[in-house]
Amino acid sequence: MIEVLAIRAYRKLFSAQIVALLGTGLLTVALGLLAFDLAGAQAGAVLGTALTIKMLAYVFVAPVMAALVERLPKKPVLVAADLTRGGIALMLPAVDQAWQIYMLVFVLQSASATFTPAFQSLIPAVLPDERQYTRALSLSRLAYDLESLLSPALAAALLSVLTFHELFLGTAAGFMFSAALVMTTRLPATPAARQEGSLWRRTTLGARIFAKSPELRGLLALNLAVAAATALVLVNTVVYVRDLFAGSNADVAIALACYGAGSMAAALSAPRALDRIADRSLMMSGAALLGIGLAGTFVLLATAGPWLMLLGLWVALGIGTSMISTPSARLLRRSASESTRTYIFTAQFSLSHACFIITYPVAGWIGASASQPAAAAALAVVAMISTAAALKFWPAASKAGAEPASRKG
């Protein structure tokens, strides 16, 4: 990984990713406090609506924006998206109505839906060597996991000297610094995509490529398994810890840290593992681990198992999600040409987030209306069916991911 960071262009882009992620983490904390300030006990409804708007922007806006900016150079697209996000963050402290939060969140997340797929599709051009690219994917996964651990701590430290309104300034600063890093990065020349056809045809191009490719159909099914495990952890950890185990807020943080630690451990191990085994083998093993972990959570809840069992299961779920997520971009890269790369990465961004529109309600609504064991069982079934579908869609004889990188040409 040190070898990859020695490449100046990638090092600057990775730094831009980190500061933008920290800005996003601060935004999450500040937005929750703003919602409580405006709505009090109804803050959960405000945040729930805002998160739904976020997912809708990711699912529906991303492919449209990819088609609209296809002929533009990547650098101005990325910089404009960062500046838009920074500008919206500066506007949020002036909000005094819930509908204003919804409108600004939609614009901000639409900019994120433009930035992230374009950024992800740029990295293969910066790192054409597959070995280096694999290590970059591990670094990217580590960045996401570290953000989930560090952003709340950073927010807490800043809130000791700042108001939550001023926390939005940190969010804006993160996006502005990200824009500056991208602007000053020397990027490789890449031909502008020039797809023929209507806006609708170009908007749906990535999804149509997914539908035709066995590897990408398998990835789509695995995305649902990842969403099942992630939804259980993000939605219900606080319920399990505070209600079922009578734990503290610190215990909630410990449980989430176990999940993040599992994910980071798998991300660090993935490059060497992928030198020896195929992408498919690693990803299917991760999916099997998710099914087992979710089934284990059902057993834990149904039998009132011990606290340490929950922590162990969260480590296992973190490992399983990272075993799927870390290599996934390698499949996208292999399935793409220069002219379709952005569309394929955008389709993965949209379709993977669409899975959460299914799993978030399952985790939350079934847990609240039926029981927590029922929610865990339902998500375990989702993960197992998704894994079976992935095995069917992506047969072992398929070329992409059939061999480890070290054994290919």
Side-chain angles (χ1 to χ4, degrees):
M1 294 187 186
I2 300 299
E3 171 192 348
V4 176
L5 290 173
I7 300 171
R8 180 178 175 82
Y10 175 73
R11 184 171 67 249
K12 295 184 74 172
L13 289 174
F14 182 63
S15 299
Q17 180 186 25
I18 289 175
V19 294
L21 284 172
L22 287 174
T24 301
L26 294 179
L27 175 69
T28 301
V29 175
L31 200 58
L33 295 173
L34 175 62
F36 186 80
D37 188 56
L38 292 178
Q42 299 301 313
V46 173
L47 277 178
T49 303
L51 289 173
T52 301
I53 290 171
K54 171 183 175 178
M55 288 300 167
L56 291 174
Y58 282 2
V59 173
F60 296 107
V61 174
V64 175
M65 290 304 300
L68 290 175
V69 303
E70 63 176 339
R71 290 181 172 83
L72 300 178
K74 286 284 197 303
K75 183 181 288 189
V77 170
L78 295 174
V79 171
D82 262 340
L83 293 178
T84 299
R85 295 193 290 183
I88 295 298
L90 290 175
M91 296 172 65
L92 281 166
V95 162
D96 59 7
Q97 299 289 331
W99 69 266
Q100 295 169 344
I101 292 180
Y102 305 150
M103 179 183 68
L104 293 177
V105 163
F106 178 77
V107 177
L108 188 148
Q109 299 302 343
S110 294
S112 293
T114 303
F115 180 93
T116 303
F119 180 90
Q120 292 173 339
S121 67
L122 180 62
I123 303 302
V126 175
L127 299 173
D129 179 76
E130 183 162 324
R131 183 174 176 275
Q132 292 180 336
Y133 182 58
T134 301
R135 278 139 184 84
L137 294 178
S138 293
L139 282 171
S140 180
R141 182 69 196 179
L142 284 172
Y144 279 102
D145 291 332
L146 286 172
E147 181 274 324
S148 67
L149 296 174
L150 295 180
S151 288
L154 178 60
L158 291 174
L159 285 169
S160 66
V161 294
L162 302 174
T163 68
F164 76 83
H165 286 97
E166 293 168 323
L167 204 59
F168 286 112
L169 298 179
T171 296
F175 291 137
M176 298 298 182
F177 189 42
S178 172
L181 285 169
V182 173
M183 190 179 297
T184 57
T185 300
R186 186 172 183 178
L187 300 177
T190 54
R194 295 190 178 276
Q195 295 293 332
E196 301 296 330
S198 65
L199 177 62
W200 173 253
R201 175 178 168 78
R202 288 178 282 125
T203 297
T204 59
L205 176 60
R208 287 185 281 112
I209 293 173
F210 260 73
K212 294 177 182 178
S213 166
E215 298 79 22
L216 298 185
R217 289 201 304 271
L219 175 58
L220 181 56
L222 293 175
N223 285 337
L224 186 56
V226 169
T230 305
L232 183 79
V233 172
L234 295 185
V235 173
N236 288 332
T237 294
V238 65
V239 178
Y240 298 164
V241 175
R242 296 301 306 274
D243 187 30
L244 303 181
F245 289 98
S248 64
N249 288 335
D251 292 327
V252 174
I254 289 171
L256 292 173
C258 286
Y259 176 77
S263 180
M264 286 189 285
L268 285 169
S269 304
R272 287 190 177 184
L274 291 169
D275 284 341
R276 298 190 302 271
I277 64 174
D279 297 294
R280 182 183 183 277
S281 299
L282 184 67
M283 296 171 77
M284 294 301 178
S285 298
L289 183 58
L290 293 182
I292 293 169
L294 289 168
T297 303
F298 164 72
V299 173
L300 168 72
L301 299 174
T303 61
W307 164 247
L308 288 179
M309 182 178 175
L310 177 73
L311 299 184
L313 286 168
W314 262 219
V315 171
L317 291 177
I319 292 172
T321 55
S322 195
M323 287 172 70
I324 295 172
S325 298
T326 302
S328 61
R330 287 161 52 106
L331 303 185
L332 305 177
R333 180 191 186 193
R334 292 174 193 154
S335 300
S337 64
E338 287 288 347
S339 62
T340 62
R341 183 183 294 151
T342 298
Y343 293 99
I344 290 177
F345 275 84
T346 301
Q348 165 66 0
F349 182 80
S350 296
L351 294 172
S352 61
H353 283 92
C355 295
F356 287 98
I357 297 177
I358 299 171
T359 59
Y360 276 153
V362 170
W365 295 349
I366 293 181
S369 61
S371 68
Q372 292 300 336
L379 290 170
V381 171
V382 169
M384 292 174 184
I385 292 175
S386 300
T387 303
L391 289 168
K392 178 177 176 58
F393 294 152
W394 184 6
S398 181
K399 291 182 180 179
E403 302 178 47
S406 60
R407 297 179 192 169
K408 293 179 181 179

